[in-house]
């Protein structure tokens, strides 16, 4: 394959060419394009073929048309904003940034993505202000989410190519995500929760372990037991909505401060009044995305990052230690 690439630093224009090898003879244009332009999803390439942005020897062809080999495929596309989201000057705690990715330490009380009735004040709005080129990347480069009140590490793709690569890594489960949580109840050992997750059958805003849900696996181990609580480490094998919170509640070790899944407040006998008040007043689920590992989408080199527990969770651990 002979391929050249135009400037794309602004995230606005992509120019590429590739020659169809003879052994591709008889294959469909969209299939060949997917093999030659691996930086982009097949759906994206099919869209470009239909729009005439991906051509064969300078001519527009149908996605299903079969090629003979020797043709030149060319992409010439001006990326357009994905949506009309508003850029906002929201402070971001950036641990790492280069031309392809941004790694962010997300604070509590920050929604990741705009939704109905909540169009501003989100991480996405802040990302667009920090890096305007993200307006041309799906979901402004956000490839995975953390709940509003979960803290810790997230990776954001700065280019369409990086976005495609990171989504593929998440699907292939090569992205390593390690969490720490403080749960109610004393765990005596580690294990794996392998239970499917889907929408709650009656409370549609919640997720639940349901027989017809999507496969979900969470590995957990005990970092430190306390009287009535446990400090645990969790590793995601899959990435379902609210996965850790649902799985821990399913084990009857709900995360401290999780008003959605923990049920009624409970505290162990003998707990001091101060500890009771501290736990009751903990304003969010005690869950933190501590470590993140991935293969860099541009260099192919393995990278990893980690961040300490936020102050509120460290204070909670100290309160548990003090009793």
């Amino acid at each position: 394959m002979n391929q050249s690439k135009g400037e794309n630093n602004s995230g606005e224009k992509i120019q590429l060419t590739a020659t169809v090898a003879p052994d591709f003879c008889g294959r469909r244009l969209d299939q060949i394009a997917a093999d030659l332009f691996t930086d982009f999803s097949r759906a994206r390439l099919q869209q470009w073929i239909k729009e005439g942005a991906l051509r064969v020897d300078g001519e527009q062809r149908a996605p299903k048309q079969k090629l003979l080999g020797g043709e030149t495929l060319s992409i010439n596309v001006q990326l357009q904003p994905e949506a009309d989201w508003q850029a906002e000057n929201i402070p971001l705690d950036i641990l790492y940034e280069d031309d392809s990715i941004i790694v962010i330490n997300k604070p509590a009380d920050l929604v990741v993505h705009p939704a109905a009735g909540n169009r501003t004040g989100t991480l996405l709005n802040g990302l667009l202000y920090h890096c305007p080129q993200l307006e041309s990347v799906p979901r402004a480069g956000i490839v995975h989410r953390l709940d509003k009140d979960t803290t810790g590490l997230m990776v954001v793709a700065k280019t369409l190519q990086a976005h495609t690569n990171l989504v593929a890594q998440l699907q292939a489960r090569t992205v390593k995500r390690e969490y720490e949580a403080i749960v109610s109840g004393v765990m005596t050992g580690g294990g794996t929760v392998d239970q499917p997750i889907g929408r709650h059958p009656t409370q549609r805003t919640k997720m639940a372990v349901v027989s017809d849900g999507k496969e979900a696996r969470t590995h957990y181990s005990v970092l430190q037991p306390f009287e009535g609580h446990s400090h645990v480490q969790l590793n995601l094998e899959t990435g379902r909505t609210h996965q850790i919170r649902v799985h821990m509640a399913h084990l009857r070790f709900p995360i401290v401060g999780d008003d959605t899944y923990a049920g009624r407040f409970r505290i162990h006998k003998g707990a001091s009044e101060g500890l009771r008040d501290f736990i009751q007043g903990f304003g969010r689920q005690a869950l933190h995305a501590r470590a993140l590992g991935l293969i860099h989408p541009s260099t192919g080199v393995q990278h990893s990052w980690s961040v300490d527990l936020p102050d509120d969770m460290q204070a909670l651990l100290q309160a548990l230690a003090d009793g």
Side-chain angles (χ1 to χ4, degrees), residues 17-257:
T17 61
T19 301
V20 179
D23 55 357
F24 284 145
C25 179
R27 295 185 62 196
R28 291 168 39 149
L29 168 58
D30 56 356
Q31 295 172 336
I32 295 172
D35 283 341
L36 294 181
F37 302 111
T38 56
D39 282 345
F40 310 103
S41 68
R42 178 168 292 189
R44 176 79 60 172
L45 292 168
Q46 287 175 332
Q47 175 188 340
W48 287 344
I49 292 170
K50 292 174 183 177
E51 293 173 349
L54 195 165
R55 293 174 173 263
V56 180
D57 292 332
E59 298 180 355
Q60 185 171 356
R61 304 283 181 88
K64 295 182 179 180
Q65 181 163 346
K66 295 181 179 180
L67 302 184
L68 300 176
E71 297 94 339
T72 297
L73 305 189
S74 59
I75 296 174
N76 191 342
V77 62
Q78 191 83 23
L79 296 180
Q80 301 298 318
E82 292 282 327
D84 60 349
W85 296 309
Q86 177 182 339
E88 294 180 74
N89 187 6
I90 297 172
L92 302 176
D93 183 3
I94 297 175
L95 270 67
Y96 176 86
E97 181 174 9
D98 59 24
D99 290 340
S100 298
I101 62 174
I102 308 172
V103 176
I104 291 172
N105 181 21
K106 189 187 87 68
D109 200 32
L110 179 63
V111 174
V112 168
H113 195 279
N118 186 31
R119 298 285 295 173
T120 61
T122 72
L123 174 62
L124 183 146
N125 300 112
L127 285 168
L128 288 174
Y129 183 90
H130 171 75
C131 184
Q133 76 183 58
L134 288 173
E135 69 174 4
S136 300
V137 183
R139 296 186 179 275
I142 295 170
V143 293
H144 66 116
R145 300 189 190 188
L146 295 177
D147 297 332
K148 173 185 176 182
D149 289 326
T150 298
T151 56
L153 293 174
M154 292 181 58
V155 63
V156 176
K158 290 180 69 173
T159 67
L160 187 57
Q161 296 92 325
H163 183 275
T164 303
N165 181 282
L166 290 173
V167 168
Q169 287 193 55
L170 286 163
Q171 292 172 343
R173 300 173 185 172
T174 59
V175 176
K176 306 301 180 185
R177 289 170 288 171
E178 180 182 298
Y179 292 72
E180 288 187 24
I182 301 166
V183 302
S184 297
V186 183
M187 283 188 165
T188 57
T192 297
V193 188
D194 188 355
Q195 294 289 340
I197 290 177
R199 287 288 170 190
H200 192 286
T202 58
Q203 302 176 57
R204 303 305 292 174
T205 59
K206 295 175 60 175
M207 308 301 288
V209 169
V210 291
S211 59
D212 60 345
K214 295 181 179 179
E215 66 170 341
R217 278 182 294 279
T218 305
H219 308 284
Y220 64 93
S221 59
V222 179
L223 294 173
Q224 185 177 4
F226 298 93
E227 187 176 358
H229 292 82
S230 302
H231 179 199
V232 298
Q233 176 180 305
L234 306 117
N235 294 81
L236 288 181
E237 186 174 327
T238 55
R240 307 304 174 200
T241 300
H242 298 175
Q243 178 173 319
I244 290 175
R245 299 165 63 191
V246 171
H247 273 171
M248 289 298 99
H250 179 74
L251 290 182
R252 301 188 185 280
F253 293 102
I255 296 174
V256 169

